[in-house]
Amino acid sequence: MSIEVVLGIDIGGTYTKFGIVDRDGSLHYEDDIETDKYKDPGQFAFALHEIIHHHLSENNNDFDLKGIGIGAPNGNYYTGNIEQAPNLLWKGIITLSDIFEKKFGVPAVLTNDANAAAIGEMVFGDAKDLKNFLMITLGTGLGSGLVVNGQLVYGHDGFAGELGHVCVRQNGRKCGCGKRGCLETYVSATGIKRTVFELLATETDASVFRDMTFSDLDSKQITEAAEKGDPIAIKAFNITGEILGKSLADTVAHISPAKIFLFGGLALAGKWIFEPTKKHMENSLLPIFSNKIDILPSALLHKNIAVLGAAALMWNESA
Amino acid sequence: MSIEVVLGIDIGGTYTKFGIVDRDGSLHYEDDIETDKYKDPGQFAFALHEIIHHHLSENNNDFDLKGIGIGAPNGNYYTGNIEQAPNLLWKGIITLSDIFEKKFGVPAVLTNDANAAAIGEMVFGDAKDLKNFLMITLGTGLGSGLVVNGQLVYGHDGFAGELGHVCVRQNGRKCGCGKRGCLETYVSATGIKRTVFELLATETDASVFRDMTFSDLDSKQITEAAEKGDPIAIKAFNITGEILGKSLADTVAHISPAKIFLFGGLALAGKWIFEPTKKHMENSLLPIFSNKIDILPSALLHKNIAVLGAAALMWNESA
């Protein structure tokens, strides 16, 4: 008997990851291609179809492909379109789920990558029993997926859940979105790098980072330095956690989630990010919310949550 | 034939307003009593029962009382309790909907006053066709009700929607909640008074307020002064609208509401509050949200939205 599966796709600016996922969240096959090799989303869908078709036929059609779930920057669940994504070569409005439905002949659904991650946690992770929770993805930027009353919050236009762009500093750091002071300019892999370089200017501590260029630094090195006691690295984590924790307290005032999950490179830093975040969130909460909201690493921290989440999005549709 | 009605109750620290409301939102009777005359919520329910019973029997029982909806500070929809309300004499956890159900022998539901206002707008006002909107009530404090996917956002514990306590200024004004810099310390009837008095210190403009005490000032007088060109009053509105507009942009990033309704004394100031709020919200929005979110006065601006909303909450239950 064939196994029912969906194709989960996580589109990033440089790479697209994808996998064949069954109802239980098992990944039967995964691979990636370079997104930016394809100037046209039609060619992109064609290439993915070739790969998947090849794989499915190699496996004697043991898999029954039921649908496609896609996580993509500026992906709009309501329309199935990618709209004005700054980090993709495909400009304007891209009717991506239509393109995939036509190419593959199965239903396709689309949302942004952070929403896909939230659905991944809800379907395959530690949010299975939660009706109200928050997913924060800490990558190059900061993404978020809000779940309220058991449903993803898409808002009136499909673009809700952009917590990376709440303002945490008036006239603060310049953000890729054009505004200043956005949360993700402080809290993200890039944000903590910027904080390290600010600290190199404001503080006098010795640090391994005094001999490193901005371009060469990645956030994993900041965790490694913190482990070795580098004072600039430790201060950078404390500042990052303080800004994240205070901002999360404001989000709690909006939706009162039972739990907050962190995912992504910065979440892998463990105590260095979780401890200051928890402390400053607690100190900033309305008393009525004190000591009842958990901040936890995603259960899918070491898996490709966006591929699993994109697949879960499709499974949710056919549930 | 008798008319089906519900009793809508809006409990405030000093006064409780109530009314008999039919399914169309018509108010057949309204009155108020002093909340703080009743040391015990049982006595309070007893007194209200006397009044309502008297009124219903005077009208030859033309009304068929189907239930009771209550809006109350720190009212928890999930439990039907008032929990730790700082402005009420009734301390701790008050099982108010239970008390009313037993006294009146009909179902009772309870939420906080701003959530009741949001439901009022949804059932009887201008949000009838909206699945995603935001209600802001500008009274002594700032209350809010969030509607997402057609449902009130109560959060995991029943206390979501406390936008009056998001932090807009690190180490800012002291708030009644114990924190500093809460939105309502700037944006509310009390907040704008505080801004007027701050401006009397920081600016040198002549102003009618230079001859007035803090205790004597109310927010209506600030509108009147603005109408007469008082520079301090006009600056106070601009600052209030700027802080509200910027904060609303952050809320839009959370839930992307189609419309934002303002209710309460400050909302009656019209252009003085709406213009700077709209301008600064637009300037602070992510480009993807630009020019698509309306800020409007509540359709129930001149009515008792909390009584109507509390009644609507009950009608919603039996829908």
Side-chain angles (χ1 to χ4, degrees):
Chain A
M1 217 182 88
S2 64
I3 306 172
E4 294 192 335
V5 293
V6 303
L7 172 59
I9 306 174
D10 170 31
I11 300 178
T14 314
Y15 288 98
T16 291
K17 297 173 183 173
F18 55 93
I20 289 176
V21 182
D22 66 23
R23 266 189 200 276
D24 299 323
S26 294
L27 202 56
H28 291 275
Y29 165 66
E30 60 181 318
D31 204 350
D32 53 64
I33 57 174
E34 288 171 60
T35 318
D36 56 8
K37 259 180 60 185
Y38 302 92
K39 297 249 157 57
D40 178 278
Q43 291 164 8
F44 173 78
F46 182 86
L48 263 180
H49 183 260
E50 289 291 296
I51 297 168
I52 296 299
H53 188 70
H54 180 73
H55 180 78
L56 293 181
S57 52
E58 260 193 345
N59 285 274
N60 301 315
N61 298 312
D62 281 349
F63 295 117
D64 177 13
L65 187 67
K66 304 301 284 182
I68 302 168
I70 307 169
N74 285 30
N76 189 321
Y77 173 77
Y78 294 145
T79 61
N81 299 339
I82 295 177
E83 303 185 19
Q84 325 285 359
N87 299 326
L88 295 181
L89 289 180
W90 315 327
K91 297 304 172 196
I93 293 179
I94 307 297
T95 59
L96 203 73
S97 64
D98 267 5
I99 292 170
F100 272 82
E101 285 190 357
K102 281 183 189 133
K103 191 70 212 162
F104 283 77
V106 295
V109 283
L110 178 147
T111 188
N112 74 39
D113 46 347
N115 284 344
I119 294 174
E121 198 71 39
M122 187 161 56
V123 176
F124 300 133
D126 278 351
K128 281 176 188 164
D129 302 319
L130 300 181
K131 295 280 181 203
N132 297 277
F133 73 92
L134 175 65
M135 167 63 70
I136 300 285
T137 63
L138 298 165
T140 314
L142 184 153
S144 62
L146 285 63
V147 173
V148 161
N149 295 329
Q151 297 178 310
L152 239 293
V153 178
Y154 292 112
H156 87 289
D157 59 353
F159 292 116
E162 287 288 353
L163 301 196
H165 300 280
V166 301
C167 182
V168 296
R169 290 286 182 277
Q170 297 295 326
N171 302 311
R173 294 180 185 167
K174 183 77 178 174
C175 183
C177 76
K179 299 198 299 162
R180 281 192 173 272
C182 291
L183 179 59
E184 74 174 25
T185 67
Y186 298 87
V187 181
S188 64
T190 325
I192 194 169
K193 264 179 70 166
R194 294 167 84 163
T195 301
V196 162
F197 274 73
E198 189 176 286
L199 288 167
L200 292 176
T202 58
E203 306 303 307
T204 56
D205 306 271
S207 168
V208 63
F209 303 123
R210 297 217 179 263
D211 301 311
M212 212 175 274
T213 67
F214 189 89
S215 304
D216 284 340
L217 180 61
D218 70 40
S219 65
K220 207 173 147 193
Q221 293 168 308
I222 306 173
T223 307
E224 286 161 4
E227 295 285 354
K228 288 177 190 154
D230 189 287
I232 295 291
I234 292 169
K235 283 179 188 172
F237 272 113
N238 286 339
I239 291 170
T240 306
E242 177 172 353
I243 295 173
L244 177 57
K246 286 180 174 172
S247 187
L248 288 176
D250 287 345
T251 295
V252 169
H254 281 76
I255 61 164
S256 183
K259 294 185 181 177
I260 297 170
F261 296 97
L262 304 188
F263 182 85
L266 258 192
L268 290 168
K271 71 170 181 182
W272 299 106
I273 188 71
F274 281 91
E275 285 181 5
T277 303
K278 285 179 186 180
K279 179 180 134 192
H280 288 283
M281 183 182 85
E282 279 301 330
N283 290 345
S284 308
L285 285 174
L286 261 189
I288 212 159
F289 298 120
S290 292
N291 298 312
K292 59 182 178 186
I293 294 159
D294 287 333
I295 306 180
L296 303 162
S298 162
L300 308 174
L301 193 56
H302 300 281
K303 298 186 180 177
N304 190 330
I305 199 173
V307 166
L308 289 173
L313 176 69
M314 186 67 233
W315 283 127
N316 250 9
E317 297 293 304
S318 55
Chain B
M1 215 183 88
S2 64
I3 305 171
E4 294 192 336
V5 293
V6 303
L7 172 60
I9 306 175
D10 170 31
I11 299 178
T14 314
Y15 286 98
T16 290
K17 296 173 183 175
F18 55 94
I20 288 175
V21 182
D22 67 25
R23 265 188 200 276
D24 299 322
S26 294
L27 201 57
H28 291 275
Y29 165 67
E30 60 183 317
D31 204 349
D32 53 62
I33 58 173
E34 287 171 61
T35 318
D36 56 8
K37 257 179 62 184
Y38 302 93
K39 297 248 158 56
D40 178 281
Q43 292 163 9
F44 173 76
F46 182 86
L48 263 179
H49 183 260
E50 289 291 295
I51 297 169
I52 296 299
H53 188 72
H54 179 72
H55 179 77
L56 293 181
S57 50
E58 261 193 347
N59 285 274
N60 301 316
N61 297 312
D62 281 349
F63 296 117
D64 176 16
L65 187 69
K66 304 300 285 182
I68 302 168
I70 308 169
N74 286 28
N76 188 321
Y77 173 76
Y78 294 145
T79 60
N81 299 339
I82 295 178
E83 303 186 17
Q84 325 284 358
N87 300 325
L88 295 181
L89 289 181
W90 315 328
K91 295 306 171 197
I93 294 179
I94 306 297
T95 59
L96 202 73
S97 63
D98 267 5
I99 292 169
F100 273 83
E101 285 190 357
K102 282 187 187 129
K103 189 72 214 165
F104 283 78
V106 295
V109 283
L110 176 147
T111 188
N112 74 39
D113 44 349
N115 285 343
I119 293 174
E121 199 71 37
M122 186 160 57
V123 176
F124 300 132
D126 279 350
K128 282 176 188 164
D129 302 319
L130 300 180
K131 294 280 183 203
N132 297 277
F133 73 93
L134 175 65
M135 167 63 69
I136 300 284
T137 62
L138 299 165
T140 313
L142 184 152
S144 63
L146 286 63
V147 173
V148 162
N149 294 329
Q151 297 179 308
L152 239 292
V153 178
Y154 292 112
H156 86 290
D157 58 353
F159 293 115
E162 286 289 351
L163 302 195
H165 301 280
V166 302
C167 182
V168 297
R169 291 285 183 275
Q170 297 295 325
N171 302 311
R173 294 179 184 167
K174 184 77 180 177
C175 183
C177 77
K179 299 199 299 164
R180 281 192 174 271
C182 292
L183 179 59
E184 74 173 25
T185 65
Y186 298 86
V187 181
S188 64
T190 324
I192 194 169
K193 264 179 68 163
R194 292 168 85 163
T195 301
V196 162
F197 274 73
E198 188 175 289
L199 287 167
L200 291 176
T202 59
E203 305 303 308
T204 55
D205 306 90
S207 168
V208 62
F209 302 123
R210 296 213 182 265
D211 301 310
M212 212 175 274
T213 67
F214 189 89
S215 304
D216 284 340
L217 180 61
D218 71 41
S219 65
K220 207 172 149 194
Q221 292 168 307
I222 306 174
T223 308
E224 286 162 4
E227 295 285 354
K228 288 178 189 152
D230 188 289
I232 295 292
I234 292 169
K235 283 178 188 173
F237 273 113
N238 287 339
I239 290 170
T240 306
E242 177 173 352
I243 296 173
L244 177 57
K246 286 179 174 173
S247 186
L248 288 177
D250 288 345
T251 295
V252 169
H254 281 76
I255 61 163
S256 184
K259 295 186 181 179
I260 297 169
F261 297 97
L262 304 187
F263 182 85
L266 259 192
L268 289 169
K271 70 171 181 179
W272 299 105
I273 187 72
F274 280 91
E275 287 181 5
T277 303
K278 285 179 185 179
K279 179 180 134 193
H280 289 283
M281 183 182 84
E282 279 302 330
N283 289 345
S284 309
L285 286 174
L286 261 189
I288 212 160
F289 298 119
S290 292
N291 299 312
K292 59 181 177 187
I293 294 159
D294 287 333
I295 305 180
L296 303 163
S298 162
L300 308 175
L301 193 56
H302 299 281
K303 298 185 178 178
N304 190 332
I305 199 172
V307 166
L308 289 172
L313 176 70
M314 187 66 233
W315 283 127
N316 250 8
E317 296 294 303
S318 54

